[in-house]
Amino acid sequence: MRLLLIEDNRRLAALTAEGLGKAGFAVDLVHGAEDASAALAVAGFDAVLLDLGLPDANGLTLLSVLRARADATPVLILTARDGVDDRVRGLNLGADDYLVKPFALEELVARIRALLRRPGVALGMVLQQGNLAFDSAARLASVAAKPLDLSRRELDALELLLRRAGRVVSKAALENGLYGFGEEVGSNAVEVLIHRLRKRLLAAGATAGVQTLRGIGYILAEVPAEKGAEAGAESGQ
Ligand code: CA
């Protein structure tokens, strides 16, 4: 498995590359966006580790260029602790995961392995959970291969939740990801949106659903088979 590590902090970069090498990965190391673009143009990588604060460009720009040319290589963002907006923007731009610095090498290795296992990786840009799928290139959601009719915001919310499937997404992260800066957002806008999305998934017989963790956030996960079957029966299957 070949990784591209893009990190301008040379000490951190060298230590990380060494650790990843010991964990069995082949690592190419670059310290800026220009060198990263050159490396990505000539070599295929199984995953990219991307620091956002680079001397010659914002890592997010590099990410959007990559996704704009339909390159689905998994990207894990490395960010500062206070970079919540960057993380959400990165996930919206098509990053697959992120890790906050300083991180433990063991966690980085585990996250990379998880990324490489994800069905989305083998299938290009399709995120899947149970019979629920989201094609992030075509921006189409489907349940059991039948297209779901969702609003743009519902699709955006679904994508954010799917990219973090099985993990909690805070209400603030959803607000940041779904609404632009300066946009008026009602205090219960996210709740209403998630409520609608949940109903649509249930009605379509999805075997994955959105749970609310009161005061914490939301989590998209597969629902137990029985519940999924009931939901399917409701929609006449
Ligand atoms: Ca940096």
Side-chain angles (χ1 to χ4, degrees), residues 114-130 132:
L115 267 188
L116 297 174
R117 274 199 306 269
R118 245 178 235 182
V121 174
L123 300 170
M125 302 283 274
V126 177
L127 303 160
Q128 188 135 17
Q129 198 66 202
L132 169 66

Side-chain angles (χ1 to χ4, degrees), residues 10-33:
R10 284 172 191 257
R11 190 179 135 72
L12 174 63
L15 281 173
T16 306
E18 191 193 331
L20 291 172
K22 281 186 187 151
F25 296 103
V27 184
D28 286 321
L29 176 56
V30 294
H31 301 296

Side-chain angles (χ1 to χ4, degrees), residues 138-195:
R139 304 206 60 71
L140 276 176
S142 59
V143 168
K146 269 187 272 174
L148 263 182
D149 187 20
L150 299 180
S151 71
R152 186 182 64 81
R153 279 248 154 89
E154 288 164 357
L155 280 172
D156 289 347
L158 181 63
E159 181 177 17
L160 268 174
L161 290 165
L162 268 169
R163 286 196 183 283
R164 310 267 307 149
R167 284 174 285 165
V168 178
V169 181
S170 71
K171 185 182 155 190
L174 275 172
E175 270 175 6
N176 281 334
L178 297 174
Y179 302 95
F181 292 109
E183 206 173 330
E184 278 293 317
V185 187
S187 62
N188 65 344
V190 167
E191 278 97 331
V192 172
L193 180 69
I194 295 294
H195 179 72

Side-chain angles (χ1 to χ4, degrees), residues 7-9 51 53-54 101:
E7 169 62 69
D8 65 312
N9 179 325
D51 172 37
L54 296 169
K101 296 181 201 176

Side-chain angles (χ1 to χ4, degrees), residues 200-221:
R200 287 185 201 254
L201 293 179
L202 263 175
T207 58
V210 186
Q211 293 165 277
T212 302
L213 303 173
R214 204 158 288 283
I216 302 173
Y218 304 92
I219 187 164
L220 187 143

